[in-house]
């Protein structure tokens, strides 16, 4: 339909060929018929000037078709180039995503390994501290036992000395030295 309007504006009202002569409408689709008026049965009359005007119309229509073809090819190339750029960008986004995922997994693995190592050190330190506490407790028990043993020995010694004093009838000198005479 745009071709018809363009043809009307270029050929003006002096053209004897109507736009309807060039198109057949079949089932709602436009189908171009032969654009050459000589082939349609019009006689080529050089004195008349109709053939040069029809040739001019044909040339303008062909030039317009060439221009539309060129524009369609340019548009197809542009869309193809944009699709290629989109695909490259998508691949790079995917690569960045996989890189990020692998790096994150690596860092998380390192963190987990560090936490496990730290947990092992903490457990080892806790065990060492518990062992030290147990050793201190054992040493304290031994010291208490020694103190009790010494106390028991001292009690026995005092009892023996007291029994000697009782048998001899002496008063111990160290006992209340200020009262002894």
């Amino acid at each position: 339909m745009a071709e018809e309007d363009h043809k009307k504006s270029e050929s003006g009202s002096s053209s004897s060929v109507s736009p309807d002569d060039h198109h057949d409408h079949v089932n709602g689709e436009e189908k171009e018929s032969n654009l050459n008026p000589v082939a349609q049965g019009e006689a080529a009359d050089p004195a008349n000037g109709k053939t040069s005007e029809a040739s001019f119309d044909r040339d303008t229509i062909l030039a317009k078709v060439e221009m539309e073809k060129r524009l369609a090819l340019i548009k197809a190339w542009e869309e193809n180039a944009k699709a290629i750029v989109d695909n490259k960008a998508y691949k790079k986004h995917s690569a960045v995503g996989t890189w990020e995922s692998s790096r994150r997994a690596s860092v998380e693995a390192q963190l987990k390994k560090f936490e496990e190592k730290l947990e092992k050190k903490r457990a080892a330190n806790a065990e060492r501290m518990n062992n030290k506490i147990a050793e201190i407790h054992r040493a304290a028990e031994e010291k208490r036992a020694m103190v009790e043993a010494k106390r028991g020995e001292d009690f026995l010694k005092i009892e023996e000395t007291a029994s000697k004093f009782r048998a001899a009838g002496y008063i111990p000198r160290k006992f209340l030295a200020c009262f002894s005479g």
Side-chain angles (χ1 to χ4, degrees):
M1 205 60 168
E3 290 179 7
E4 293 174 10
D5 293 338
H6 181 65
K7 195 183 339 173
K8 282 182 185 177
S9 66
E10 291 221 0
S11 63
S13 61
S14 65
S15 175
S16 64
V17 179
S18 68
D20 293 334
D21 291 341
H22 294 295
H23 294 282
D24 294 332
H25 295 282
V26 178
N27 295 332
E29 297 180 5
E30 288 188 15
K31 182 178 172 184
E32 284 194 33
S33 64
N34 191 356
L35 296 176
N36 191 352
V38 175
Q40 289 181 352
E42 292 183 14
D45 188 10
N48 193 325
K50 289 184 179 180
T51 55
S52 66
E53 191 174 309
S55 174
F56 177 74
D57 285 344
R58 190 174 128 245
D59 289 344
T60 57
I61 292 171
L62 288 175
K64 186 174 181 181
V65 167
E66 279 294 319
M67 177 64 83
E68 289 175 357
K69 181 179 175 183
R70 193 174 319 122
L71 291 176
L73 289 173
I74 290 170
K75 185 175 180 179
W77 172 85
E78 179 184 13
E79 290 175 1
N80 186 34
K82 285 180 180 179
I84 289 171
V85 168
D86 283 342
N87 289 339
K88 283 182 182 179
Y90 177 77
K91 285 180 183 178
K92 288 186 180 187
H93 279 293
S94 296
V96 168
T98 55
W99 175 82
E100 179 186 15
S101 297
S102 67
R103 298 293 281 181
R104 183 183 300 150
S106 174
V107 168
E108 287 174 355
Q110 287 177 348
L111 180 63
K112 188 174 182 178
K113 186 177 179 181
F114 179 73
E115 287 175 349
E116 288 174 357
K117 189 176 180 181
L118 192 63
E119 186 65 30
K120 284 181 182 179
K121 280 186 177 182
R122 183 174 166 247
N125 286 339
E127 185 178 349
R128 207 173 312 134
M129 292 299 148
N130 287 336
N131 290 343
K132 282 184 180 181
I133 290 171
E135 187 178 327
I136 290 170
H137 183 67
R138 185 182 50 80
E141 287 296 321
E142 287 177 3
K143 287 184 179 190
R144 283 187 191 106
M146 289 176 65
V147 167
E148 285 297 317
K150 176 84 170 146
R151 180 176 163 238
E153 289 174 8
D154 287 345
F155 275 170
L156 285 176
K157 190 175 182 181
I158 290 172
E159 286 177 1
E160 288 176 9
T161 308
S163 65
K164 284 183 187 178
F165 284 137
R166 280 189 201 108
Y170 293 120
I171 298 177
R173 292 190 172 199
K174 287 184 179 179
F175 182 69
L176 299 172
C178 59
F179 293 120
S180 56

